[in-house]
């Protein structure tokens, strides 16, 4: 360990994002990525789709918070389905 590391502490690696298995819906991939916040979970995630050989991504974070990660992820999935049904590929514009 170097002198500066001993004096000022070692540089820690940033936390790696948790690998999320996407849910396929009408050709879109939905990633449920709720965010921990003050003992609850904020509804968040990504919707992706390959269009003309390019992966398009729409990320969203809602103001809603729920007591459990699984509840937040389930609600996110329902909201993503509604958003896809209403907007289609316009999500990425």
């Amino acid at each position: 360990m170097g002198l500066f590391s001993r004096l000022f502490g070692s540089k820690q690696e940033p936390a790696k994002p948790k690998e999320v298995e996407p849910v396929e819906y009408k050709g879109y991939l939905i990633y449920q990525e709720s965010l921990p916040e003050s003992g609850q979970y904020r509804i968040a995630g990504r919707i992706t789709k390959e269009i003309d050989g390019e992966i398009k991504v729409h990320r969203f974070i809602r103001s809603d918070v729920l007591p459990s990660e699984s509840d937040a992820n389930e609600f996110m999935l329902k909201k993503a389905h509604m958003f896809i049904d209403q907007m289609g590929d316009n999500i990425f514009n």
Side-chain angles (χ1 to χ4, degrees):
M1 185 180 283
L3 174 63
F4 288 107
S5 293
R6 285 193 299 264
L7 290 174
F8 299 107
S10 62
K11 185 176 181 180
Q12 293 185 353
E13 291 289 320
K16 291 183 180 178
K18 185 167 52 167
E19 283 294 317
V20 177
E21 190 69 30
V23 175
E24 193 277 331
Y25 180 73
K26 295 185 176 181
Y28 297 83
L29 294 178
I30 302 169
Y31 295 83
Q32 301 161 292
E33 300 169 323
S34 60
L35 302 170
E37 186 175 304
S38 301
Q40 296 188 354
Y41 292 86
R42 183 166 303 281
I43 295 166
R46 293 179 282 147
I47 300 172
T48 68
K49 183 178 183 183
E50 184 174 337
I51 299 174
D52 297 328
E54 182 182 348
I55 301 292
K56 301 286 188 172
V57 178
H58 176 80
R59 174 172 285 286
F60 65 91
I61 300 173
R62 295 187 45 93
S63 60
D64 310 90
V65 289
L66 295 171
S68 78
E69 183 177 19
S70 63
D71 287 347
N73 283 335
E74 204 53 41
F75 193 79
M76 182 277 178
L77 187 60
K78 289 176 186 175
K79 287 293 185 182
H81 286 177
M82 286 176 31
F83 196 45
I84 290 166
D85 290 343
Q86 291 173 355
M87 300 293 294
D89 289 347
N90 288 327
I91 291 170
F92 307 113
N93 294 338

